[in-house]
Amino acid sequence: MNDPADAEVTHVPERSPSSILMPLLDVRNLTVDYTTPEGARLRAIEDVSFTLERGQALGIVGESGCGKTTAMMALMRLLPAAGRVSGGQVLFDGDDMLELTAAEFRRRRWLDMAMVFQGAMNALNPVRTVGDQIREAIVTHLAWPRDQVERRVGELLDLVGIPPWRAVQYPHQYSGGMRQRAMIAMALACKPQLLVADEPTTALDVMIQAQIINLLDRLRRDLDLALIIVTHDLGVVAEACQQVLVMYGGQVAEYGPVEHVFTDPRHPYTERLLRAFPDIGGGRELQSIPGTPPRLSDLPSGCRFHPRCPLAVERCRSETPALRPVGRDQMAACHLA
Ligand code: SF4
């Protein structure tokens, strides 16, 4: 895991005054293709665009296979070998992250942006103490003196609500919620400005889910952290996010402030998703969405939601709707929005 090329940084860089004026993250038309073993090219996500300010949280929602995780893996330049970014820009603090060399990006991935992966709490090494694993995350990227590293391990555990003395314990001595907290602490080791959490509450019971969401929300506010939460749970977004990006079939279906999108959804897919969460959807009757999301190898023509959309008209079958403004700060990709 240690890469000497990475362990050159002794301090976390300050922000330049000009960078405070621009969004921290500006993703423009991000497009990712996969190549199958047979050589076929499949478009996994297409023209995904959004911005994120410091201290704000964006929820990315949609059913499994809609491209949420692919978009984040592209953002973090962690796509599998078969995938590649075939278009778009990822501007972070004004720099196009897709233009950096692999070594430059690897260093910035921990200093500027970090990710807690889905199921990460099960990825802790069972034969090493939690403190040791957090320590490694620090010394791999920051050439700090030993006492500073030790202080930081304690600070990080404290930050996520784990008593620092528990640094000497092993993962099996932690509950599931504590292991998830430890993974969040590790991701924050180098004080990134952006944290991406992929399904951070999956496999946790309801009480612990609420604690993790509260923790992420507190970290966002206390550290002025930009946060992206990838989830299929709209309740998590309602609790912890200011913006929401709804994805369907690898494209953005709707995007905007949570308070607008959840109270006045303008895309039929968003509206259907909300109906599957009656607590958020205004007490409406619980309804699942008939049918299944499209396979990448068999994407429908026109609007990708048309085979499942109760409002579809002839135009929807042939013409792809563009993402366009449909209200204050709200955008939707629907001919009828
Ligand atoms: Fe439904 Fe047509 Fe809108 Fe697509 S464009 S969501 S099919 S109404």
Side-chain angles (χ1 to χ4, degrees):
M1 184 173 174
N2 280 311
D3 181 343
D6 291 335
E8 296 167 357
V9 183
T10 54
H11 69 284
V12 179
E14 297 292 329
R15 294 176 204 155
S16 68
S18 61
S19 71
I20 293 169
L21 300 174
M22 62 180 82
L24 179 68
L25 180 66
D26 186 353
V27 175
R28 300 179 182 175
N29 303 105
L30 187 61
T31 299
V32 172
D33 290 334
Y34 280 107
T35 305
T36 68
E38 296 75 36
R41 177 87 54 89
L42 301 178
R43 183 137 292 179
I45 61 167
E46 187 166 59
D47 286 335
V48 172
S49 299
F50 61 88
T51 61
L52 185 58
E53 309 280 350
R54 294 173 177 82
Q56 295 278 302
L58 169 77
I60 302 187
V61 299
E63 294 162 285
S64 298
C66 66
K68 308 185 295 286
T69 297
T70 296
M72 291 305 99
M73 295 305 252
L75 189 74
M76 304 297 292
R77 284 179 51 168
L78 291 171
L79 287 169
R84 83 180 174 90
V85 174
S86 50
Q89 286 181 303
V90 174
L91 301 175
F92 185 92
D93 234 356
D95 295 332
D96 190 343
M97 303 305 272
L98 301 179
E99 297 290 321
L100 300 181
T101 65
E104 286 168 344
F105 186 83
R106 204 165 52 241
R107 190 177 306 154
R108 293 194 62 171
R109 183 160 55 213
W110 280 80
L111 290 172
D112 286 341
M113 46 170 73
M115 184 163 176
V116 178
F117 296 93
Q118 186 171 1
M121 65 184 186
N122 299 319
L124 284 164
N125 186 335
V127 297
R128 294 179 60 197
T129 66
V130 172
D132 201 23
Q133 296 180 63
I134 296 176
R135 194 173 297 116
E136 182 178 2
I138 300 169
V139 300
T140 300
H141 300 95
L142 293 167
W144 281 357
R146 191 188 173 104
D147 58 339
Q148 192 177 357
V149 172
E150 292 311 312
R151 270 202 311 278
R152 183 74 182 141
V153 172
E155 273 170 23
L156 284 164
L157 287 171
D158 193 42
L159 192 64
V160 299
I162 297 174
W165 66 265
R166 299 195 72 149
V168 296
Q169 291 188 315
Y170 291 87
H172 75 268
Q173 295 170 291
Y174 279 36
S175 65
M178 285 178 68
R179 290 202 301 276
Q180 186 67 317
R181 286 168 184 271
M183 293 308 295
I184 293 170
M186 210 178 291
L188 296 175
C190 303
K191 301 186 181 176
Q193 299 177 65
L194 168 68
L195 179 67
V196 178
D198 190 2
E199 300 284 3
T201 58
T202 300
L204 296 172
D205 70 42
V206 176
M207 292 296 289
I208 306 299
Q209 284 183 14
Q211 289 174 12
I212 295 296
I213 291 305
N214 288 341
L215 170 65
L216 290 171
D217 193 46
R218 179 171 60 76
L219 293 172
R220 173 186 67 75
R221 285 183 278 111
D222 291 355
L223 306 178
D224 202 24
L225 193 65
L227 186 62
I228 297 178
I229 300 179
V230 177
T231 180
H232 61 272
D233 185 341
L234 270 58
V236 168
V237 177
E239 286 288 321
C241 300
Q242 291 72 50
Q243 299 281 323
V244 60
L245 185 86
V246 182
M247 291 191 66
Y248 186 81
Q251 297 173 323
V252 177
E254 189 158 1
Y255 172 52
V258 170
E259 67 203 79
H260 299 169
V261 173
F262 280 12
T263 55
D264 184 20
R266 306 298 294 274
H267 193 289
Y269 179 60
T270 312
E271 207 244 334
R272 293 271 152 165
L273 269 186
L274 284 163
R275 282 200 207 174
F277 288 83
D279 290 348
I280 304 167
R284 287 171 285 201
E285 189 186 344
L286 180 66
Q287 286 180 5
S288 60
I289 308 175
T292 54
R295 292 198 310 270
L296 295 181
S297 57
D298 190 20
L299 292 171
S301 60
C303 173
R304 291 181 184 173
F305 189 53
H306 88 251
R308 304 170 76 189
C309 181
L311 305 180
V313 294
E314 194 49 43
R315 180 184 177 199
C316 304
R317 294 180 180 83
S318 56
E319 199 179 315
T320 303
L323 187 69
R324 61 189 174 87
V326 291
R328 194 154 51 91
D329 303 330
Q330 195 170 345
M331 303 181 86
C334 171
H335 294 310
L336 307 185

